[in-house]
């Protein structure tokens, strides 16, 4: 069966990606790193705009576009955000028990060194969006996370580092940034020029954790108990 | 101040992306679509493997790698998943009230037409991971969502469609796939060859929703009430 209209689209050069384009996308995916070290140099405004535009191209459940970004340009607010992260870093260290000392040696954020600091948040009034969320209300966070992954990849190809910090009490940030009751901050994003990207995830280089192979993440038709990735 | 080691890395060809590589990544981000129409042709196993490897390159909070993928190769299980989605489609339609008729006209999934069907899930025993999750336990879903965005982009450059279906009761899927009590399915992923990609998000073309501009998503230093994107 020949479908002329579809086939015309198949011929459209924008439909397909060249081998070089494919390689570029896989390279960005492979070389993206969660960065904590920044050199403090300024970020070109056009680059920040392109990174944010990449976020805005993300998919979203029911097209709700549940991403909001609060750019922090006020030094006092940046310092307050740093204090919020430091407080949670201490509480997390306590909660980690015997891993406390190892955790405290890690550099877990670059809040004061990055050139651009953004808080990414879910907006209020999300309950108006039912499509795809009636039984899965957390799909708004899924959409925002897809947007942040786009930002990470865009930053990487721009030669810019980005780190997602989730060491904070969301209530503290809501008060600081005067956010609505039903909004929810999900990320402090540190963005800016770096001297180099980590060759491996920093938590691997620092010996905090080891990467598990993909094979451990895959099942067929049903969960397998006793599988390395999980058991009852 | 000259830092020789860093500068050597700056010279490393793998550090930077060419203009052509940058354009390829932005093109993939722009042309990625949430697909519901598949042509049913088989998907090359090597392509599926590359898409899954892209998922596995995602960042994750505390390097917990909280992604599991259950590939559905059994026809009866596929049919049961379809029934679970159909049930929720009906319940969502009822919940939408006056939007019910418009919703029911939309093609919201391609479960029976796609060549590869995967269920993406969070594993059990996630409570062992505290780093970055003490006050933000939902960061595991954020990590899995970043992995799925990687898959979407990989699929797009491979010329393969992917759709994320969240119209289901997670408890139904847990029973069907014999998943552990504390695991959580978050996506039915429909993957496979398509005749063409949508030029715009399907919900825009179908008149279900309009895209809001990026400018409405941005704040500076604090939330602004009365802003188009939100108010109290």
């Amino acid at each position: 069966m020949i479908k002329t209209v579809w086939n015309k689209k198949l011929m459209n050069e924008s439909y397909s990606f060249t081998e070089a384009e494919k390689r570029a996308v896989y390279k960005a995916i492979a070389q993206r790193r969660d960065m904590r070290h920044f050199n403090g140099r300024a970020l070109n405004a056009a680059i920040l705009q392109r990174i944010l535009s990449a976020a805005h191209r993300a998919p979203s459940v029911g097209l709700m576009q549940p991403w909001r970004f609060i750019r922090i340009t006020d030094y006092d607010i940046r310092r307050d955000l740093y204090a919020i992260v430091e407080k949670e870093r201490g509480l997390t260290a306590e909660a980690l028990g015997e891993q406390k000392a190892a955790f405290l040696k890690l550099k877990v954020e670059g809040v004061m060194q990055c050139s651009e600091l953004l808080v990414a948040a879910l907006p209020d009034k999300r309950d108006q969006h039912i499509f795809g969320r009636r039984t899965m209300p957390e799909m708004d966070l899924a959409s925002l996370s897809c947007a942040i992954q786009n930002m990470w990849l865009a930053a990487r190809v721009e030669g810019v580092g980005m780190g997602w910090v989730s060491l904070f009490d969301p209530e503290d940030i809501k008060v600081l940034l005067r956010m609505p009751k039903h909004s929810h901050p999900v990320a402090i994003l540190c963005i800016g020029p770096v001297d180099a990207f980590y060759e491996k995830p920093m938590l691997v280089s620092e010996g905090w954790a080891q990467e598990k192979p993909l094979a451990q993440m895959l099942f067929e038709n049903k969960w397998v108990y006793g599988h390395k990735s999980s058991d009852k």
Side-chain angles (χ1 to χ4, degrees), chain A residues 144-156:
Chain A
L144 173 51
S145 303
C146 288
I148 292 176
Q149 180 66 4
N150 272 2
M151 295 173 75
W152 241 320
L153 296 171
R156 184 62 190 84

Side-chain angles (χ1 to χ4, degrees), chain A residues 70-75 77-79 81 115-119 177:
Chain A
I70 306 167
R71 184 181 174 206
I72 308 301
T73 56
D74 182 297
Y75 180 79
I77 296 178
R78 182 189 286 244
R79 199 197 47 205
L81 276 172
S115 51
E116 291 286 345
L117 190 65
L118 304 175
V119 171
L177 304 181

Side-chain angles (χ1 to χ4, degrees), chain A residues 7-216:
Chain A
N7 285 349
K8 211 188 285 177
K9 291 212 183 237
L10 273 170
M11 303 303 290
N12 187 324
E13 66 181 39
S14 77
Y15 174 88
S16 63
F17 283 67
T18 64
E19 282 302 319
E21 288 175 321
K22 263 190 229 187
R23 277 197 303 274
V25 171
Y26 282 119
K27 177 180 161 184
I29 286 171
Q31 296 193 4
R32 177 217 52 76
R33 289 288 175 273
D34 192 14
M35 299 299 298
R36 277 84 175 83
H37 294 82
F38 298 89
N39 63 24
R41 284 203 292 271
L43 184 64
N44 181 301
I47 294 179
L48 180 61
Q49 190 62 31
R50 287 200 292 274
I51 293 171
L52 286 167
S53 296
H56 199 58
R57 297 281 200 169
S60 62
V61 62
L63 211 81
M64 69 184 286
Q65 301 181 292
W67 40 78
R68 300 296 182 273
F69 300 99
I70 306 167
R71 184 181 174 206
I72 308 301
T73 56
D74 182 297
Y75 180 79
D76 290 344
I77 296 178
R78 182 189 286 244
R79 199 197 47 205
D80 290 346
L81 276 172
Y82 177 70
I84 288 170
V85 171
E86 269 298 285
K87 183 182 94 173
E88 179 53 31
R89 194 171 77 95
L91 293 168
T92 293
E94 293 303 325
L96 282 166
E98 60 187 31
Q99 292 178 290
K100 176 180 172 179
F103 173 77
L104 286 174
K105 278 187 204 154
L106 299 171
K107 180 164 174 58
V108 291
E109 51 73 33
V111 171
M112 297 307 291
Q113 297 84 45
C114 61
S115 51
E116 291 286 345
L117 190 65
L118 304 175
V119 171
L122 298 167
D124 56 339
K125 300 190 171 177
R126 306 195 302 284
D127 53 351
Q128 293 172 356
H129 294 267
I130 297 169
F131 185 171
R133 295 185 64 238
R134 202 189 68 90
T135 55
M136 302 281 283
E138 71 272 29
M139 286 300 102
D140 48 13
L141 171 63
S143 301
L144 173 51
S145 303
C146 288
I148 292 176
Q149 180 66 4
N150 272 2
M151 295 173 75
W152 241 320
L153 296 171
R156 184 62 190 84
V157 299
E158 299 283 0
V160 169
M162 188 174 106
W164 178 334
V165 177
S166 60
L167 284 165
F168 56 80
D169 183 331
E171 291 307 317
D172 289 343
I173 291 188
K174 284 170 71 172
V175 170
L176 178 66
L177 304 181
R178 305 184 207 170
M179 294 172 59
K181 186 175 175 189
H182 297 292
S183 66
H184 188 64
V186 303
I188 296 177
L189 299 176
C190 301
I191 304 176
V194 296
D195 285 325
F197 288 87
Y198 312 137
E199 287 184 22
K200 296 176 180 180
M202 199 203 65
L203 295 181
V204 173
S205 308
E206 297 292 321
W208 175 264
Q210 289 191 313
E211 290 179 286
K212 296 180 287 280
L214 173 59
Q216 284 185 22

